Structures are given as structure tokens and as C-alpha cells.
Amino acid sequence: MSHPLSTRLVLWYARHQRQLPWRKTRDPYHIWVAEIMLQQTQVETVIPYYERWLKRFPTVARLASAPLAEVLTNWEGLGYYARARNLHQAAQIVVEQWGGQVPRTLADLRTLPGIGTYTAGAIASIAFGLDAAALDGNLKRVLARLFDVRQDVKSAEGEKALRRLAESLVPPGQAGEYNQALMDLGATICTPRTPRCEACPVQSLCRAYRLGVQLERPVSRRRAPIPHRQAAAGVIRKNGRILLVQRPSEQLLGGLWAFPQAPRRARESFAAGLARAAREELGLGIAVLSEIHRQAQTFSHFRLTLHVFECRWQNGKASGANCRWVRISALDDYPMGKADRQIARRLRAP
Ligand code: SF4
């Protein structure tokens, strides 16, 4: 029998669910794409990417056979590019090992790159109707409030308590609706800073509301402030072309193209660091001219300020497979991270 909370949530979802493009389908590949895009990214941002993606890669097989550069180009702007690389690799595994059919069990889904416990639960419950919970940060917040969970939700014991709760509440045969109801409740009513308890369909069952502690739940360790790094980037020009380098696939923004960068070393100016890195890493002699732009970007675990310098090639080849001399008009053909794309746009501006 279902828990009264699940019953009420599923009824509320039937009447008030958000109309989202991935809710019009049971195609497991489409639901998988949406779930990967929604990790770390807001719904409104995801919608146009999701729709474009499925026009370009409507099936697992089409995605698997596409070159990585095209996959990254279609992901450009969504950030966290490991998601795109994993999705591409996982699509190839699905084609090679599963005959193009997305695997149907939690254990099999979790063998695919980029699919963790949450995403496996979401795909299994929404696409295949399995009785699986899907517990992400939003759902943890909602459950911590509903059941007044006092453990730190980021601790192992807090995580375990919430998982037990989430699993015990799954209504048999309705896990997809239940998980999505919790997602919608967390996104539209039980929001992080200002929960709208007056509009909440499960207010009478909420322990944190009853105790007046909803703003104190979930309990969470204070996050340490993220470090601020500084680096130089060079717009190195040679005969009307500009040098781009492709980032190694195992690194941050792997597979994307970038203007050559040099992290700042102690007692070294940005300009000197850039000239040194060009010499040591690319075998190039360059003249570093003036700083033309400063670009700030926030990643999940650090902030970066990029000091962008105009540079002139002097000698050397930089001819490796990961180096290209590119005309300004062709910069759009190369998938880039946000900061590099901003620099490229400035170069193209009249
Ligand atoms: Fe969240 Fe308030 Fe609803 Fe409790 S009553 S689940 S705190 S919105």
C-alpha cells in the first residue's frame, strides 16, 4: 500500500505537473538525454538544447555515430562538458553491447558512463516504470523538510537516512510520477530559500512546517569558499590566423578548443608566464603585447580570472594534432568553453 504522502503527491502531480518536452515521451533515450542535461542546469536553459539535440541526434545510434567535435558543438553553452563526452561514449556502448536498446535495470544503467544512482533511478522509473527512487539535491531538501531529518544531508549517514526514506515512499507502479512530483514540488514550491508552504499540497504532512523549522532544513555543512585562480590566455596571431589548442580529453573542458593558457606562477608576470608556456608546451617563440580583455568564470570548484593578451608569433611550428591556426571567420567551427567563446566573439566583433 502507498504511503499517504506518496498518494497525495501523485494526485497533485496529475493535476499540476509542469509541461516539459521530455514528459511527452517514454523513449528512454530522450529521457536519458533530458536527465543528463538537467544535472547542474536549469530547466529553462535545458529546453532549447534538448529540442535541438533531438533534432540533430534523434536516436542513440545517430548520437553514437557522430564525431565527438559535433557532439561538443551541440552541447556548447551548457557547461560541464564531461556530461556530453560521457553521453556520447555511453551511446556507443549501448549500440555495441546492447543492440541500440537502452538497458532496463538499475544495475545495467549504472554501468554506462555518466549514469549514477540518481540518473539510473530517474530513467528506470520514468521510462521503464520500475519501482526506483531518484534522489538528487532537490529531493533531499524536500524529504529533509517533510520528515525533519536532522542529520547533515551531505554526510554518509544523512544520505543513507534520506535514501531509505525515499525508497520506502515509492508507490508501487507509480515511481515515475512520484519522483517527478517530488522534482516539481522542489522546483516550484519547496524551493531552497523561500518555500511557499501556504501553497504546498503536503503541508499537513510536513514535520518541518509543523515545527516551524523549514528554513533550517536541510542541515548542511557550510561550504568552504571556492579558491580564486588567475591565468593568462594568448591570442597568438600569425599571417591572419590565430592559434587554438585542443584540451586533453581527461582534463576540465576536455576535447574543447581554447586559446593557449598559462596559469600564474609565483614571481612571474602574466606576460612572462604566457611566453614561457608557449615556448615549453608549444615550441613557439611569441611576443606578448598588451592585455586586451579580462574574463571571469566560475566553475564548480574554483573561480577563474583570465587575463587575455594580444600576442605575435615569432618562430616555431606548433604543428601537433591538438594545435590549429584558424582564421577569425572560422572560430565558430570549433567547440569552445564559455570563456574562450567570449574571447572569440570579441575578436569577431566589428
Ligand atoms: Fe516544503 Fe513547506 Fe511543503 Fe514542508 S510545507 S514540504 S517545507 S513547502
Side-chain angles (χ1 to χ4, degrees):
M1 209 175 73
S2 298
H3 190 286
L5 177 76
S6 324
T7 307
R8 208 179 289 180
L9 278 171
V10 169
L11 284 173
W12 173 76
Y13 179 73
R15 295 187 58 189
H16 299 284
Q17 63 180 273
R18 290 175 293 172
Q19 298 302 315
L20 302 171
W22 45 89
R23 289 186 172 166
K24 295 183 188 142
T25 177
R26 293 294 288 267
D27 184 319
Y29 163 64
H30 294 192
I31 290 164
W32 171 21
V33 169
E35 287 300 331
I36 298 293
M37 288 186 170
L38 287 164
Q39 295 167 1
Q40 325 274 359
T41 310
Q42 303 276 339
V43 164
E44 299 70 38
T45 310
V46 164
I47 291 173
Y49 277 91
Y50 171 83
E51 289 175 335
R52 266 202 309 274
W53 185 274
L54 290 185
K55 276 199 191 111
R56 180 61 202 88
F57 310 116
T59 62
V60 184
R62 290 283 286 276
L63 175 59
S65 63
L68 179 61
E70 189 183 346
V71 173
L72 292 172
T73 300
N74 280 275
W75 197 272
E76 192 177 312
L78 268 184
Y80 298 96
Y81 291 85
R83 294 182 295 174
R85 287 194 302 276
N86 283 334
L87 191 54
H88 185 226
Q89 200 192 340
Q92 291 171 337
I93 294 171
V94 168
V95 167
E96 283 159 24
Q97 296 179 14
W98 298 90
Q101 302 297 315
V102 178
R104 301 178 71 95
T105 70
L106 285 175
D108 290 338
L109 283 164
R110 289 207 52 188
T111 62
L112 296 173
I115 298 191
T117 311
Y118 166 77
T119 308
I123 299 170
S125 62
I126 299 169
F128 300 128
L130 298 190
D131 290 340
L135 190 65
D136 70 351
N138 277 317
L139 272 64
K140 283 183 191 167
R141 178 181 68 253
V142 176
L143 290 176
R145 286 174 175 167
L146 283 166
F147 291 90
D148 189 30
V149 174
R150 295 169 191 207
Q151 289 117 317
D152 178 343
V153 293
K154 296 214 173 97
S155 68
E157 55 161 4
E159 170 97 34
K160 219 161 134 193
L162 287 164
R163 175 150 295 284
R164 261 201 313 269
L165 263 176
E167 284 168 0
S168 70
L169 292 168
V170 171
Q174 292 183 301
E177 291 87 342
Y178 156 77
N179 284 326
Q180 292 178 95
L182 278 172
M183 290 172 197
D184 280 13
L185 189 68
T188 61
I189 293 180
C190 194
T191 52
R193 286 191 195 86
T194 47
R196 295 192 299 118
C197 301
E198 70 288 351
C200 180
V202 287
Q203 185 206 74
S204 63
L205 300 170
C206 179
R207 289 192 199 155
Y209 178 78
R210 209 177 313 140
L211 297 167
V213 295
Q214 58 272 50
L215 291 180
E216 290 149 49
R217 303 287 176 270
V219 174
S220 177
R221 281 188 309 273
R222 252 177 207 286
R223 271 190 157 196
I226 60 173
H228 180 199
R229 297 182 192 163
Q230 306 216 43
V235 175
I236 305 174
R237 295 182 195 258
K238 175 188 170 193
N239 302 332
R241 293 175 187 252
I242 290 172
L243 182 63
L244 292 183
V245 292
Q246 191 172 29
R247 295 171 187 267
S249 58
E250 67 285 358
Q251 285 183 8
L252 183 73
L253 305 175
L256 298 179
W257 292 85
F259 297 90
Q261 281 187 25
R264 184 176 208 180
R265 284 189 183 170
R267 290 186 293 281
E268 187 180 57
S269 69
F270 287 116
L274 204 49
R276 174 189 48 73
R279 196 171 54 247
E280 291 175 0
E281 291 166 24
L282 302 169
L284 286 184
I286 61 170
V288 181
L289 307 174
S290 55
E291 183 173 341
I292 50 173
H293 175 53
R294 214 167 271 186
Q295 180 75 40
Q297 196 178 357
T298 303
F299 294 90
S300 55
H301 52 295
F302 67 95
R303 283 188 301 125
L304 175 70
T305 301
L306 212 49
H307 299 255
V308 185
F309 285 82
E310 179 73 28
C311 306
R312 199 175 52 240
W313 169 85
Q314 291 181 317
N315 54 58
K317 269 205 167 126
S319 56
N322 63 337
C323 295
R324 298 266 170 84
W325 291 99
V326 175
R327 291 198 186 283
I328 287 183
S329 58
L331 287 171
D332 282 353
D333 299 341
Y334 292 80
M336 293 179 180
K338 203 165 163 190
D340 289 291
R341 181 59 69 207
Q342 293 280 4
I343 298 168
R345 287 210 180 103
R346 288 180 69 94
L347 295 174
R348 294 201 63 167

